[in-house]
Amino acid sequence: MLKSLFNWKVLLNLLLAIGVFVGLIYLTFRWLEYHTNHGQEVPVPNVMNKSVHDAVKILEDAGLDYEVDSAAYDPKYKPLQVLKVYPSPGSRVKDGRAIQLMVNPKSWAPVAIPDVINKYSGLAFQRLEQVGLKVSDTIYEPSIQKDAVLRILFKGNPVNPGTKIPRFSLVDVVVGSGPLRNIGVPNVVGLTVKEAKMVIAKNLFELGAVNHEDGGNSDSDIVYYQDPASGDIRDQGMQIDLWASKKTPAELRSKIDELNSMYRMKVDTTLPPIRYEEVSEVEEPKIKEPAPVVHQKKEVPKTENAKPSGGTSGKSNTPAEKPKASATPSSGTQEKPKAKKPIIN
C-alpha cells in the first residue's frame, strides 16, 4: 500500500491539485484587488465653509461620492454652508468612497402650527411660543367669540393648524373683539336659503330655525319671511329665523300676513296718549320716640339719736336739734280742761 502512495502517477495528481488550489487563491485576490481598487487612494479635498453646491462639484471631480446631511440651523453661518466633513480633509480614501457633508440648512427646522383656533388668546400665545413661533401683530376683528383666536396669518396669508413653517417665524394672530351692539338686521327675503346663510354669517349673526313649507331641507328654497325683520336693531350674534318655500313671497301673501300677526306687534294710534302726572310725595308723620327714663338715686337722711342735755362740759360737735313744734289745736276746736281731783284730809 505504501508503494502505491509513492507511485509517480499519484504524486503527479497531488501536485496538480495543489497547483490548481494555489491558482484559485491567486485569482481570487487579484479579482478582489481589481474591484476594490486596492492601492488606489485619493486625498479628501478640503471643502469646509464652502457652499454645498461647490463642495459636491469638487468631490465629483476627485472621483468621490458624497452624502449630505443638515444640522440644526445656526444663524452665524451662511445657508447651505458646509460645517463638517467626514473623513476629515487630507485623509486618504479609496476612489469612490462616500464623503459625509454636514450642511447648515437654509433656515430653522420647520415646526407645525398648533391647533389654537377658537381658543382663548392668552393660552394660544403661550402655545405658539412653546413651539418656537413669535407673534408679530394682534389683529382684532368683530366676532361673537370675544378674545378667541379666529385665524393665524403667516406672511399675510391664513394657515391651517398642522402646517409646517420655519421655527422662530413671525405670525399674526386675528382675535375676536366681541359682537357689535345695535346693528341693523340684514334683509334676506327673496334670497335662497344658501344665499341667506352667507349673508347672515357675513353680518356676524347666527342662523336660527329654518322652516320649509313643504317639510324639506333644500337650500334652493326661497326665503319669504324672516324674524327679526330687516332693519330691526339687534346685537351681533343674535339668531335669525327663516321661513322658506319653493314659491315666491308674492304667492305666499296670506301666509306672510299670518306670520305678521304672530311676530309683528301692531301699535294702535287711534287711542289717546296716556298722560302720567307727577304725584307729590306725602311725608309720613314722624313718631317721636319717648325720652329715656333716668333713674336717680334718692338720698335717705341719716337719723341721729338725741343725746341727754345733762352735761355742760364741752360743746357737742353735732348740730343742735331743732325744737319740735308744739301741737297747736286746729282752728275751731278747743281742748277741754282736765277736772282736778278733790283732796281729802
Side-chain angles (χ1 to χ4, degrees):
M1 183 176 180
L2 293 174
K3 291 181 179 180
S4 61
L5 290 176
F6 291 99
N7 191 357
W8 64 273
K9 293 182 179 180
V10 175
L11 293 175
L12 180 61
N13 292 331
L14 183 61
L15 291 174
L16 290 174
I18 294 173
V20 172
F21 179 73
V22 172
L24 289 175
I25 293 176
Y26 175 77
L27 292 175
T28 302
F29 278 101
R30 290 296 295 176
W31 179 81
L32 291 174
E33 185 179 352
Y34 174 77
H35 283 276
T36 58
N37 296 327
H38 181 68
Q40 297 180 7
E41 294 181 349
V42 293
V44 177
N46 186 9
V47 293
M48 288 287 295
N49 299 325
K50 295 183 180 296
S51 68
V52 65
H53 303 289
D54 295 340
V56 167
K57 188 176 183 304
I58 293 172
L59 293 174
E60 287 179 346
D61 293 342
L64 297 173
D65 200 358
Y66 57 88
E67 294 178 358
V68 179
D69 192 9
S70 59
Y73 177 73
D74 193 341
K76 296 186 296 182
Y77 302 100
K78 296 179 181 180
L80 302 180
Q81 181 179 352
V82 177
L83 303 179
K84 292 181 181 180
V85 178
Y86 181 81
S88 59
S91 302
R92 300 189 68 85
V93 296
K94 295 179 182 180
D95 188 14
R97 169 71 183 273
I99 306 301
Q100 295 181 358
L101 303 178
M102 190 66 68
V103 180
N104 189 36
K106 289 184 178 180
S107 61
W108 298 99
V111 295
I113 295 178
D115 187 6
V116 293
I117 305 299
N118 299 328
K119 301 293 192 303
Y120 175 62
S121 59
L123 298 176
F125 292 162
Q126 294 180 2
R127 187 74 184 97
L128 291 172
E129 292 179 357
Q130 288 175 358
V131 299
L133 298 177
K134 295 182 179 180
V135 178
S136 174
D137 192 11
T138 303
I139 304 172
Y140 288 93
E141 184 178 285
S143 174
I144 59 174
Q145 295 176 309
K146 187 176 181 181
D147 296 331
V149 176
L150 304 179
R151 292 185 305 278
I152 296 178
L153 305 178
F154 177 61
K155 295 182 179 180
N157 299 320
V159 288
N160 297 325
T163 304
K164 290 188 176 182
I165 60 176
R167 192 177 183 183
F168 300 116
S169 297
L170 298 178
V171 295
D172 299 329
V173 180
V174 181
V175 180
S177 61
L180 297 178
R181 306 294 182 182
N182 301 327
I183 302 298
V185 176
N187 184 15
V188 295
V189 174
L191 303 178
T192 62
V193 175
K194 182 179 180 180
E195 295 172 342
K197 289 179 180 179
M198 296 174 60
V199 173
I200 291 172
K202 183 178 180 180
N203 290 270
L204 301 181
F205 286 92
E206 291 291 329
L207 179 65
V210 180
N211 304 284
H212 294 267
E213 185 186 17
D214 56 357
N217 56 356
S218 176
D219 286 347
S220 62
D221 290 354
I222 299 175
V223 177
Y224 66 89
Y225 196 81
Q226 70 177 76
D227 183 62
S230 62
D232 287 356
I233 303 302
R234 295 290 188 275
D235 297 339
Q236 285 182 338
M238 298 292 292
Q239 290 187 347
I240 300 178
D241 297 334
L242 304 179
W243 283 259
S245 174
K246 297 186 181 302
K247 301 177 183 179
T248 61
E251 298 174 342
L252 298 168
R253 178 53 55 189
S254 59
K255 182 66 176 180
I256 294 174
D257 294 339
E258 181 182 351
L259 293 173
N260 282 332
S261 63
M262 296 172 58
Y263 296 99
R264 302 290 187 264
M265 183 178 64
K266 296 181 179 180
V267 180
D268 191 357
T269 58
T270 59
L271 297 176
I274 301 175
R275 295 182 179 179
Y276 297 93
E277 297 181 357
E278 295 184 358
V279 180
S280 59
E281 297 182 356
V282 180
E283 296 183 357
E284 297 181 358
K286 296 182 179 179
I287 301 175
K288 294 183 179 180
E289 296 181 357
V293 179
V294 179
H295 298 281
Q296 297 180 353
K297 294 182 179 180
K298 295 182 179 181
E299 295 182 358
V300 180
K302 297 181 180 180
T303 57
E304 298 181 358
N305 296 329
K307 294 183 178 180
S309 60
T312 57
S313 62
K315 294 181 180 180
S316 156
N317 293 331
T318 59
E321 295 182 357
K322 293 181 181 181
K324 296 182 180 180
S326 58
T328 55
S330 58
S331 59
T333 58
Q334 293 181 0
E335 187 177 355
K336 294 181 180 181
K338 295 181 180 180
K340 295 182 178 181
K341 294 181 179 182
I343 300 174
I344 299 175
N345 293 327

